[in-house]
Amino acid sequence: MASAAKPSGGIRNVRIEHCQFTSGTYAIYIKTRIGRAGIIENISGDDLDVLAGGFLRVNLVSAGNTNTADDPVEGLAGYPLGRNFSFANIRVACTTLADVTKISPEKPLQGLVLSNITGKCAKGISLANIVGAELKDIKSPASPVLDDR
């Protein structure tokens, strides 16, 4: 499941429940880029099985289409805002548990919860530029478990 935000309205109130992900690079990939503005908020997942690829990737600085007519929105107004991402009751057998590093320090992600995650991954959790990160009950042997760039 991939989501990409446009400046006109963003993405809000998305809930992913009772799903099994069996292919792809990431089960959940939230992406946009600087110059598109917009808000991506209230994204949650519960009771998910990730059997291939990685579980979560967030890129709010450099992903998405660069050939849109309404780009770019100049200055800080053009920096997308992410807030209230929450994922719980996740079972993994994947390559990367979470790569949440492509976030601008000028507009950090506001609120990330990862809880009750079990299974195995080749790579653990990498986080950068997040205010209000909450990690709890994560039992996923990986190397490294947490990289907090």
Side-chain angles (χ1 to χ4, degrees), residues 16-33:
I16 306 149
E17 298 179 309
H18 316 296
C19 293
Q20 184 178 76
F21 299 90
T22 58
S23 65
T25 54
Y26 284 90
I28 309 293
Y29 184 9
I30 301 168
K31 64 181 183 172
T32 188
R33 64 180 171 76

PDB file of all heavy atoms in Angstrom, residues 16-33:
ATOM      1  N   ILE A  16      -5.756   0.851   8.041  1.00  0.00           N
ATOM      2  CA  ILE A  16      -5.476  -0.408   7.361  1.00  0.00           C
ATOM      3  C   ILE A  16      -5.600  -1.502   8.417  1.00  0.00           C
ATOM      4  O   ILE A  16      -4.878  -1.469   9.428  1.00  0.00           O
ATOM      5  CB  ILE A  16      -4.056  -0.386   6.758  1.00  0.00           C
ATOM      6  CG1 ILE A  16      -3.876   0.831   5.861  1.00  0.00           C
ATOM      7  CG2 ILE A  16      -3.766  -1.677   6.010  1.00  0.00           C
ATOM      8  CD1 ILE A  16      -2.472   1.358   5.830  1.00  0.00           C
ATOM      9  N   GLU A  17      -6.501  -2.453   8.204  1.00  0.00           N
ATOM     10  CA  GLU A  17      -6.741  -3.489   9.205  1.00  0.00           C
ATOM     11  C   GLU A  17      -6.818  -4.871   8.571  1.00  0.00           C
ATOM     12  O   GLU A  17      -7.277  -5.016   7.436  1.00  0.00           O
ATOM     13  CB  GLU A  17      -8.078  -3.254   9.915  1.00  0.00           C
ATOM     14  CG  GLU A  17      -8.191  -1.973  10.683  1.00  0.00           C
ATOM     15  CD  GLU A  17      -9.549  -1.836  11.327  1.00  0.00           C
ATOM     16  OE1 GLU A  17     -10.572  -1.993  10.615  1.00  0.00           O
ATOM     17  OE2 GLU A  17      -9.605  -1.599  12.544  1.00  0.00           O
ATOM     18  N   HIS A  18      -6.395  -5.867   9.354  1.00  0.00           N
ATOM     19  CA  HIS A  18      -6.584  -7.283   9.007  1.00  0.00           C
ATOM     20  C   HIS A  18      -6.098  -7.600   7.591  1.00  0.00           C
ATOM     21  O   HIS A  18      -6.829  -8.198   6.795  1.00  0.00           O
ATOM     22  CB  HIS A  18      -8.057  -7.691   9.157  1.00  0.00           C
ATOM     23  CG  HIS A  18      -8.709  -7.182  10.394  1.00  0.00           C
ATOM     24  ND1 HIS A  18      -8.322  -7.557  11.654  1.00  0.00           N
ATOM     25  CD2 HIS A  18      -9.707  -6.294  10.562  1.00  0.00           C
ATOM     26  CE1 HIS A  18      -9.075  -6.926  12.557  1.00  0.00           C
ATOM     27  NE2 HIS A  18      -9.915  -6.146  11.921  1.00  0.00           N
ATOM     28  N   CYS A  19      -4.858  -7.204   7.280  1.00  0.00           N
ATOM     29  CA  CYS A  19      -4.308  -7.417   5.941  1.00  0.00           C
ATOM     30  C   CYS A  19      -3.059  -8.278   6.002  1.00  0.00           C
ATOM     31  O   CYS A  19      -2.325  -8.269   6.986  1.00  0.00           O
ATOM     32  CB  CYS A  19      -3.950  -6.088   5.283  1.00  0.00           C
ATOM     33  SG  CYS A  19      -5.358  -5.050   4.903  1.00  0.00           S
ATOM     34  N   GLN A  20      -2.821  -8.974   4.897  1.00  0.00           N
ATOM     35  CA  GLN A  20      -1.604  -9.752   4.723  1.00  0.00           C
ATOM     36  C   GLN A  20      -0.879  -9.211   3.498  1.00  0.00           C
ATOM     37  O   GLN A  20      -1.465  -9.104   2.426  1.00  0.00           O
ATOM     38  CB  GLN A  20      -1.945 -11.224   4.531  1.00  0.00           C
ATOM     39  CG  GLN A  20      -0.720 -12.107   4.441  1.00  0.00           C
ATOM     40  CD  GLN A  20      -1.095 -13.559   4.291  1.00  0.00           C
ATOM     41  OE1 GLN A  20      -1.499 -13.974   3.208  1.00  0.00           O
ATOM     42  NE2 GLN A  20      -0.978 -14.312   5.371  1.00  0.00           N
ATOM     43  N   PHE A  21       0.398  -8.865   3.667  1.00  0.00           N
ATOM     44  CA  PHE A  21       1.223  -8.334   2.586  1.00  0.00           C
ATOM     45  C   PHE A  21       2.241  -9.398   2.204  1.00  0.00           C
ATOM     46  O   PHE A  21       3.036  -9.829   3.039  1.00  0.00           O
ATOM     47  CB  PHE A  21       1.927  -7.052   3.035  1.00  0.00           C
ATOM     48  CG  PHE A  21       0.975  -5.953   3.418  1.00  0.00           C
ATOM     49  CD1 PHE A  21       0.518  -5.816   4.729  1.00  0.00           C
ATOM     50  CD2 PHE A  21       0.530  -5.057   2.464  1.00  0.00           C
ATOM     51  CE1 PHE A  21      -0.350  -4.804   5.082  1.00  0.00           C
ATOM     52  CE2 PHE A  21      -0.354  -4.031   2.810  1.00  0.00           C
ATOM     53  CZ  PHE A  21      -0.794  -3.912   4.113  1.00  0.00           C
ATOM     54  N   THR A  22       2.211  -9.810   0.943  1.00  0.00           N
ATOM     55  CA  THR A  22       3.061 -10.922   0.519  1.00  0.00           C
ATOM     56  C   THR A  22       4.097 -10.551  -0.529  1.00  0.00           C
ATOM     57  O   THR A  22       4.890 -11.397  -0.921  1.00  0.00           O
ATOM     58  CB  THR A  22       2.198 -12.073  -0.034  1.00  0.00           C
ATOM     59  OG1 THR A  22       1.428 -11.579  -1.128  1.00  0.00           O
ATOM     60  CG2 THR A  22       1.276 -12.633   1.045  1.00  0.00           C
ATOM     61  N   SER A  23       4.102  -9.323  -1.013  1.00  0.00           N
ATOM     62  CA  SER A  23       5.115  -8.905  -1.987  1.00  0.00           C
ATOM     63  C   SER A  23       5.250  -7.393  -1.969  1.00  0.00           C
ATOM     64  O   SER A  23       4.467  -6.697  -1.324  1.00  0.00           O
ATOM     65  CB  SER A  23       4.742  -9.389  -3.389  1.00  0.00           C
ATOM     66  OG  SER A  23       3.563  -8.762  -3.828  1.00  0.00           O
ATOM     67  N   GLY A  24       6.230  -6.918  -2.708  1.00  0.00           N
ATOM     68  CA  GLY A  24       6.437  -5.480  -2.778  1.00  0.00           C
ATOM     69  C   GLY A  24       7.666  -5.073  -2.000  1.00  0.00           C
ATOM     70  O   GLY A  24       8.234  -5.850  -1.239  1.00  0.00           O
ATOM     71  N   THR A  25       8.082  -3.827  -2.193  1.00  0.00           N
ATOM     72  CA  THR A  25       9.262  -3.358  -1.482  1.00  0.00           C
ATOM     73  C   THR A  25       8.938  -3.039  -0.022  1.00  0.00           C
ATOM     74  O   THR A  25       9.722  -3.341   0.858  1.00  0.00           O
ATOM     75  CB  THR A  25       9.867  -2.124  -2.171  1.00  0.00           C
ATOM     76  OG1 THR A  25       8.857  -1.138  -2.318  1.00  0.00           O
ATOM     77  CG2 THR A  25      10.445  -2.477  -3.521  1.00  0.00           C
ATOM     78  N   TYR A  26       7.777  -2.421   0.242  1.00  0.00           N
ATOM     79  CA  TYR A  26       7.314  -2.144   1.599  1.00  0.00           C
ATOM     80  C   TYR A  26       5.807  -2.376   1.662  1.00  0.00           C
ATOM     81  O   TYR A  26       5.080  -1.990   0.750  1.00  0.00           O
ATOM     82  CB  TYR A  26       7.611  -0.694   2.004  1.00  0.00           C
ATOM     83  CG  TYR A  26       9.065  -0.484   2.351  1.00  0.00           C
ATOM     84  CD1 TYR A  26       9.980  -0.125   1.374  1.00  0.00           C
ATOM     85  CD2 TYR A  26       9.516  -0.680   3.651  1.00  0.00           C
ATOM     86  CE1 TYR A  26      11.321   0.034   1.681  1.00  0.00           C
ATOM     87  CE2 TYR A  26      10.850  -0.516   3.968  1.00  0.00           C
ATOM     88  CZ  TYR A  26      11.748  -0.167   2.984  1.00  0.00           C
ATOM     89  OH  TYR A  26      13.069  -0.019   3.283  1.00  0.00           O
ATOM     90  N   ALA A  27       5.364  -2.953   2.769  1.00  0.00           N
ATOM     91  CA  ALA A  27       3.923  -3.138   2.963  1.00  0.00           C
ATOM     92  C   ALA A  27       3.234  -1.772   3.039  1.00  0.00           C
ATOM     93  O   ALA A  27       2.215  -1.543   2.406  1.00  0.00           O
ATOM     94  CB  ALA A  27       3.653  -3.943   4.227  1.00  0.00           C
ATOM     95  N   ILE A  28       3.812  -0.868   3.805  1.00  0.00           N
ATOM     96  CA  ILE A  28       3.274   0.485   3.952  1.00  0.00           C
ATOM     97  C   ILE A  28       4.369   1.465   3.533  1.00  0.00           C
ATOM     98  O   ILE A  28       5.452   1.481   4.131  1.00  0.00           O
ATOM     99  CB  ILE A  28       2.868   0.792   5.412  1.00  0.00           C
ATOM    100  CG1 ILE A  28       1.976  -0.293   5.999  1.00  0.00           C
ATOM    101  CG2 ILE A  28       2.246   2.185   5.513  1.00  0.00           C
ATOM    102  CD1 ILE A  28       0.606  -0.411   5.385  1.00  0.00           C
ATOM    103  N   TYR A  29       4.101   2.272   2.519  1.00  0.00           N
ATOM    104  CA  TYR A  29       5.069   3.268   2.042  1.00  0.00           C
ATOM    105  C   TYR A  29       4.329   4.596   1.921  1.00  0.00           C
ATOM    106  O   TYR A  29       3.462   4.757   1.065  1.00  0.00           O
ATOM    107  CB  TYR A  29       5.651   2.838   0.703  1.00  0.00           C
ATOM    108  CG  TYR A  29       6.745   3.734   0.138  1.00  0.00           C
ATOM    109  CD1 TYR A  29       7.318   4.763   0.870  1.00  0.00           C
ATOM    110  CD2 TYR A  29       7.201   3.538  -1.151  1.00  0.00           C
ATOM    111  CE1 TYR A  29       8.316   5.565   0.342  1.00  0.00           C
ATOM    112  CE2 TYR A  29       8.203   4.328  -1.697  1.00  0.00           C
ATOM    113  CZ  TYR A  29       8.762   5.340  -0.949  1.00  0.00           C
ATOM    114  OH  TYR A  29       9.747   6.130  -1.469  1.00  0.00           O
ATOM    115  N   ILE A  30       4.656   5.530   2.790  1.00  0.00           N
ATOM    116  CA  ILE A  30       4.029   6.854   2.807  1.00  0.00           C
ATOM    117  C   ILE A  30       5.038   7.820   2.203  1.00  0.00           C
ATOM    118  O   ILE A  30       6.134   7.981   2.737  1.00  0.00           O
ATOM    119  CB  ILE A  30       3.645   7.252   4.240  1.00  0.00           C
ATOM    120  CG1 ILE A  30       2.669   6.219   4.823  1.00  0.00           C
ATOM    121  CG2 ILE A  30       3.059   8.661   4.263  1.00  0.00           C
ATOM    122  CD1 ILE A  30       2.444   6.353   6.306  1.00  0.00           C
ATOM    123  N   LYS A  31       4.650   8.461   1.097  1.00  0.00           N
ATOM    124  CA  LYS A  31       5.632   9.278   0.395  1.00  0.00           C
ATOM    125  C   LYS A  31       5.039  10.555  -0.180  1.00  0.00           C
ATOM    126  O   LYS A  31       3.872  10.616  -0.536  1.00  0.00           O
ATOM    127  CB  LYS A  31       6.275   8.479  -0.735  1.00  0.00           C
ATOM    128  CG  LYS A  31       5.299   8.061  -1.823  1.00  0.00           C
ATOM    129  CD  LYS A  31       5.996   7.255  -2.899  1.00  0.00           C
ATOM    130  CE  LYS A  31       5.036   6.902  -4.012  1.00  0.00           C
ATOM    131  NZ  LYS A  31       5.725   6.290  -5.138  1.00  0.00           N
ATOM    132  N   THR A  32       5.888  11.546  -0.245  1.00  0.00           N
ATOM    133  CA  THR A  32       5.635  12.810  -0.923  1.00  0.00           C
ATOM    134  C   THR A  32       7.003  13.478  -1.058  1.00  0.00           C
ATOM    135  O   THR A  32       8.019  12.810  -0.893  1.00  0.00           O
ATOM    136  CB  THR A  32       4.610  13.685  -0.178  1.00  0.00           C
ATOM    137  OG1 THR A  32       4.282  14.806  -0.995  1.00  0.00           O
ATOM    138  CG2 THR A  32       5.083  14.135   1.165  1.00  0.00           C
ATOM    139  N   ARG A  33       7.029  14.778  -1.345  1.00  0.00           N
ATOM    140  CA  ARG A  33       8.329  15.439  -1.444  1.00  0.00           C
ATOM    141  C   ARG A  33       8.193  16.931  -1.170  1.00  0.00           C
ATOM    142  O   ARG A  33       7.092  17.492  -1.224  1.00  0.00           O
ATOM    143  CB  ARG A  33       8.965  15.206  -2.811  1.00  0.00           C
ATOM    144  CG  ARG A  33       8.206  15.788  -3.947  1.00  0.00           C
ATOM    145  CD  ARG A  33       8.905  15.499  -5.267  1.00  0.00           C
ATOM    146  NE  ARG A  33       8.058  15.887  -6.358  1.00  0.00           N
ATOM    147  CZ  ARG A  33       7.858  17.135  -6.750  1.00  0.00           C
ATOM    148  NH1 ARG A  33       8.462  18.118  -6.154  1.00  0.00           N
ATOM    149  NH2 ARG A  33       7.055  17.394  -7.749  1.00  0.00           N
TER     150      ARG A  33
END
